[in-house]
């Protein structure tokens, strides 16, 4: 009596299990197929309604800020093109130099230079605001002899502002001035001004530009210069030309 196989056979006569199947390929050789259990995707936790609302609010806020910035920039550009702001004009109206030299052994001297500068706003639709102005006095050879800082101020439309600049010259500056005075008692010098100017139309700020002005040549003459003496007071004979800006 033939013994039965402990394995259950398929139609091809080969044993198989639940995870292994045999099938014949077109060449006649068996091909194995494995039934692996499918892998399910990881379960995702849905976002809470509060986090979704917060993300939407931040997105809208950022969009509104970007649009507002763009509109403000566009309006400022249009105003700038329409009103066409002009840079201020400057001129030195008067100058006074007080030069008193002491004895060489005492090394004492007193030198003061006072200038009156006219700032003119040529704009009919724009006001100007100046930041603190750094001013430098230099002699004919370009060497700085004194410096000072002028307080900030504001100009309305077509306004002319007189600003007084006081320079207290030190020992080195006094020496430079003394040696720069000509035989006829005149002293040629120049002034440099550095600041930042803001242009405004009403409450709208249109823009700003750096101010870099130079006034040269300026000249003062001593009224009494006996035998080349440099002591005394020198005045500007006539106002200067408009400064380069």
């Amino acid at each position: 009596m033939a013994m039965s196989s402990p394995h259950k056979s398929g139609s091809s006569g080969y044993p198989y299990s639940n995870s292994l199947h045999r099938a014949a390929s077109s060449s006649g050789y068996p091909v194995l197929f494995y039934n692996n259990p499918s892998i399910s995707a990881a379960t995702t936790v849905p976002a809470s309604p509060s986090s979704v609302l917060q993300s939407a609010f931040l997105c809208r806020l950022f969009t509104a800020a970007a649009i507002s910035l763009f509109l403000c920039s566009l309006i400022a550009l249009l105003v700038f093109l329409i009103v066409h702001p002009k840079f201020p004009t400057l001129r030195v109206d008067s100058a006074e130099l007080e030069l008193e030299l002491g004895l060489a052994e005492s090394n004492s001297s007193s030198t003061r230079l006072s200038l009156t500068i006219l700032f003119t706003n040529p704009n009919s639709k724009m006001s100007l605001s100046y930041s603190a102005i750094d001013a430098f006095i230099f002699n004919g050879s370009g060497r700085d002899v004194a410096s000072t800082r002028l307080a900030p101020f504001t100009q309305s439309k077509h306004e002319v502002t007189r600003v007084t600049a006081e320079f207290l010259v030190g020992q080195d500056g006094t020496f430079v001035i003394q040696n720069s005075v000509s035989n006829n008692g005149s002293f040629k010098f120049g002034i440099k001004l550095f600041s930042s100017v803001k242009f405004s139309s009403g409450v709208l700020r249109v823009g700003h530009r750096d101010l870099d002005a130079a006034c040269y040549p300026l000249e003062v003459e001593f009224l009494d210069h006996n035998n080349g003496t440099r002591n005394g007071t020198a005045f500007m004979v006539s106002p200067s030309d408009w400064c380069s800006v």
Side-chain angles (χ1 to χ4, degrees):
M1 181 175 177
M3 298 181 60
S4 62
S5 173
H7 302 282
K8 183 178 180 181
S9 299
S11 59
S12 60
Y14 296 97
Y16 62 88
S17 65
N18 291 333
S19 61
L20 178 63
H21 300 277
R22 292 178 183 270
S25 64
S26 59
S27 60
Y29 295 96
V31 179
L32 300 180
F33 295 94
Y34 292 89
N35 291 332
N36 293 326
S38 60
I39 302 176
S40 59
T43 303
T44 59
V45 180
S48 61
S50 59
S51 61
V52 174
L53 292 176
Q54 184 178 7
S55 300
F57 172 76
L58 293 177
C59 182
R60 293 175 181 175
L61 181 62
F62 176 79
T63 303
I67 294 176
S68 300
L69 180 61
F70 173 77
L71 292 177
C72 291
S73 302
L74 182 60
I75 293 174
L77 178 60
L78 292 177
V79 172
F80 186 88
L81 295 176
I82 294 173
V83 300
H84 189 61
K86 300 176 182 178
F87 221 48
T89 56
L90 291 81
R91 182 169 60 86
V92 178
D93 187 55
S94 63
E96 180 180 339
L97 172 63
E98 294 181 0
L99 179 61
E100 298 180 1
L101 301 178
L103 298 177
E105 56 271 15
S106 64
N107 195 26
S108 63
S109 62
S110 174
T111 304
R112 183 185 65 87
L113 180 60
S114 177
L115 302 179
T116 300
I117 309 172
L118 298 183
F119 289 78
T120 302
N121 179 10
N123 298 279
S124 59
K125 300 178 181 179
M126 307 286 292
S127 60
L128 304 180
S129 298
Y130 300 81
S131 63
I133 303 174
D134 293 318
F136 299 86
I137 293 294
F138 59 94
N139 66 341
S141 61
R143 179 178 176 181
D144 291 343
V145 297
S147 63
T148 189
R149 170 166 284 194
L150 308 178
F153 63 95
T154 302
Q155 283 185 306
S156 59
K157 308 168 186 177
H158 284 310
E159 183 179 2
V160 179
T161 305
R162 292 178 178 268
V163 177
T164 300
E166 296 280 350
F167 297 87
L168 298 178
V169 185
Q171 293 291 335
D172 293 340
T174 298
F175 177 79
V176 172
I177 292 176
Q178 180 189 16
N179 287 272
S180 300
V181 176
S182 63
N183 293 329
N184 62 357
S186 64
F187 169 62
K188 290 186 178 181
F189 65 99
I191 181 173
K192 295 178 291 187
L193 302 169
F194 301 96
S195 181
S196 178
V197 183
K198 298 178 182 178
F199 298 85
S200 303
S201 179
V203 296
L204 180 63
R205 175 182 169 184
V206 178
H208 74 280
R209 289 179 58 187
D210 293 331
L211 173 68
D212 185 355
C215 305
Y216 182 85
L218 306 174
E219 184 176 5
V220 292
E221 294 182 4
F222 288 92
L223 300 181
D224 184 14
H225 52 281
N226 297 325
N227 299 324
T229 302
R230 301 296 181 259
N231 291 3
T233 302
F235 297 92
M236 177 180 288
V237 177
S238 61
S240 71
D241 295 331
W242 295 106
C243 306
S244 61
V245 178

